Amino acid sequence: MDSSRLHKPETLNQRLQESDFGTLEIGLSVLANDDSLPDDLIHFGAVHCALVCPKPPPTASAEQVQLFKEVTAPTVLKKRSSLKGKTVREAQKTFRIISPSEYIEAGSYLRVHVHPKRFPRCYEVDWSSRVIAETESYVVLEKPAGTSVGGTTDNIEETCATFTTRAMGLSSPLKTTHQLDNCTEGCVVLSKTVEFCSEFHSKLREKQVKKLYLALTAAPVPPGKISHYMRPVNFAPRILSREPFQGWHLCQLEVLECKEVPWPDSTIEDIYGILDCGWSPKDVAYECKIKLLTGRTHQIRAQLAACGAPIIGDSIYMPAAIKMMMAPYLYPFAEGETNNEVRDDEAMNATIDQWILQHGKEPDLAIGLQACEISWNDGECTYQAGPPWWRSD
């Protein structure tokens, strides 16, 4: 596969733009094209299908909504034998196309990600040297920042699991057991077997896996336990409140220690793609050792930013932390305030929407966060990463 081809998918992109309903109508005309680009996209895992088109998003045009209604009308669906015995909801479940020769029935929904999220860092890493430990059941990897542990919706090729499998010459692909953010480095456990994967998931559910992190922050954080509640919406930025709301998820971490360290010099920042997020001054930074007590997505990043100590290079949360200091009235859940004006659901959602706008974009490569240690079985299995990127020793 020529992965460089995916940088400029003009042919497929043009077909999508000319379609009346994007992924709904391109169908077999794309997959049957002589150009090898569709094959490459399928190899990347960027092509998904469903027997029946899912409900269009709120951003869909009137024409798109009308087309959806036409192709999902009961009279149309009754004529499709492949739907016999299935509910519409079951038929709307998407699955990944894994072969260019896979048959797609006329009337099916097809979603093609013509610009998959790429991870060029994968091609720069000596993956064998990143292996911390190997047993019969698992591999512990020191994940580099700027990589995905197990892939994204549109890219299951450029992953830690895939590249480590190849580097170690394993006959069966390694499986993910837990996640780290793409911009985070450090210890991650990859399973060799389905049995260990299930076993490790059970340990995670039962809170038998202990995780320690090092975070490089722009301001000091007092040692002790920090609790927030996370809005139950599955996209970034993650919104936190000090006060509980119904359905919001408890987030807890414990800062074990916090020490002053030099702010990384510009050369180091350039090497690791650390973005300038507007924090000033940059005289000193603070290295915090953190014990993660709950495991929510973006939890450490969001909690530290909410405390006024954002992680260096975190271009999503640092801009919001700066805004919270400059204009605290914009933060819906300021500490010490009752926030009665946002108790109403509609008012609260409007206030949160405004707060979301104060955040930035996802970091390009690294931030000051490392999963420095992972352990289970009461410490019998303990693994540590090397020095984080911001240390010179």
Side-chain angles (χ1 to χ4, degrees):
M1 182 192 72
D2 181 9
S3 61
S4 64
R5 178 190 300 275
L6 290 175
H7 286 292
K8 295 183 178 180
E10 294 92 344
T11 304
L12 189 56
N13 191 41
Q14 182 65 28
R15 290 175 184 273
L16 281 168
Q17 290 174 350
E18 292 174 352
S19 167
D20 289 336
F21 189 44
T23 55
L24 182 63
E25 285 199 323
I26 53 176
L28 295 174
S29 64
V30 171
L31 297 182
N33 190 273
D34 292 336
D35 192 277
S36 62
L37 175 60
D39 292 0
D40 291 346
L41 288 172
I42 290 172
H43 181 80
F44 260 57
V47 182
H48 300 254
C49 185
L51 289 174
V52 174
C53 180
K55 184 178 179 180
T59 54
S61 67
E63 292 79 10
Q64 292 170 342
V65 172
Q66 179 58 36
L67 182 57
F68 164 76
K69 291 179 179 179
E70 292 175 2
V71 298
T72 59
T75 54
V76 174
L77 298 182
K78 283 182 179 180
K79 298 177 182 179
R80 297 180 56 187
S81 58
S82 61
L83 303 181
K84 188 175 182 180
K86 295 184 177 67
T87 65
V88 172
R89 183 180 293 272
E90 290 172 339
Q92 288 176 324
K93 184 177 180 180
T94 58
F95 57 91
R96 182 175 273 117
I97 298 294
I98 60 175
S99 170
S101 61
E102 192 162 339
Y103 174 74
I104 300 176
E105 182 186 26
S108 297
Y109 165 82
L110 191 68
R111 185 177 76 241
V112 182
H113 297 264
V114 295
H115 295 292
K117 181 175 177 60
R118 302 301 303 278
F119 297 94
R121 181 88 171 96
C122 287
Y123 303 97
E124 305 166 0
V125 174
D126 178 2
W127 290 94
S128 296
S129 70
R130 310 291 297 200
V131 175
I132 298 173
E134 179 186 7
T135 73
E136 292 182 356
S137 302
Y138 61 86
V139 171
V140 182
L141 179 74
E142 185 167 354
K143 173 192 174 297
T147 61
S148 170
V149 176
T152 59
T153 301
D154 50 11
N155 187 343
I156 56 172
E157 165 64 19
E158 295 170 335
T159 71
C160 293
T162 298
F163 277 74
T164 304
T165 297
R166 292 173 183 167
M168 298 181 68
L170 301 177
S171 57
S172 298
L174 292 167
K175 303 165 183 62
T176 59
T177 63
H178 62 111
Q179 294 290 340
L180 291 179
D181 291 345
N182 297 339
C183 54
T184 302
E185 66 178 23
C187 298
V188 65
V189 179
L190 302 173
S191 177
K192 287 184 174 181
T193 67
V194 174
E195 292 76 18
F196 179 80
C197 201
S198 176
E199 177 186 337
F200 197 82
H201 286 162
S202 295
K203 294 181 185 297
L204 288 170
R205 286 193 300 270
E206 296 166 6
K207 300 187 182 300
Q208 296 178 2
V209 179
K210 309 301 181 184
K211 300 177 183 179
L212 295 180
Y213 286 78
L214 292 177
L216 187 68
T217 62
V221 186
K225 187 179 293 186
I226 301 174
S227 299
H228 289 91
Y229 295 87
M230 181 179 288
R231 186 188 185 207
V233 176
N234 193 29
F235 59 80
R238 306 293 168 150
I239 305 301
L240 301 180
S241 168
R242 287 278 188 180
E243 303 175 39
F245 287 89
Q246 184 176 1
W248 288 41
H249 305 304
L250 176 64
C251 297
Q252 288 186 319
L253 59 80
E254 183 179 0
V255 179
L256 302 177
E257 61 180 60
C258 181
K259 62 183 181 181
E260 185 178 299
V261 296
W263 191 286
D265 63 45
S266 58
T267 301
I268 296 296
E269 288 188 324
D270 289 343
I271 290 173
Y272 290 95
I274 305 303
L275 299 176
D276 182 355
C277 305
W279 188 274
S280 181
K282 297 181 180 178
D283 301 324
V284 296
Y286 300 86
E287 184 179 281
C288 305
K289 178 173 283 189
I290 295 171
K291 181 179 180 181
L292 194 60
L293 303 179
T294 57
R296 310 293 182 189
T297 302
H298 286 200
Q299 179 184 326
I300 295 177
R301 298 164 62 184
Q303 285 198 271
L304 292 178
C307 293
I311 293 174
I312 290 176
D314 195 342
S315 50
I316 288 185
Y317 295 99
M318 184 177 278
I322 295 172
K323 183 64 70 172
M324 184 165 59
M325 291 185 290
M326 297 175 60
Y329 59 87
L330 289 174
Y331 181 50
F333 312 107
E335 187 173 3
E337 297 183 7
T338 59
N339 293 303
N340 289 327
E341 69 274 11
V342 298
R343 295 297 185 182
D344 174 76
D345 286 346
E346 184 175 347
M348 183 170 71
N349 288 335
T351 308
I352 289 175
D353 287 344
Q354 286 299 312
W355 180 240
I356 287 173
L357 296 177
Q358 311 309 315
H359 293 71
K361 65 173 186 176
E362 183 71 24
D364 294 330
L365 186 57
I367 63 173
L369 187 61
Q370 183 200 58
C372 64
E373 181 177 305
I374 189 167
S375 63
W376 61 93
N377 290 352
D378 295 324
E380 181 181 338
C381 301
T382 300
Y383 303 96
Q384 297 177 333
W389 62 260
W390 57 86
R391 288 189 196 164
S392 58
D393 52 336

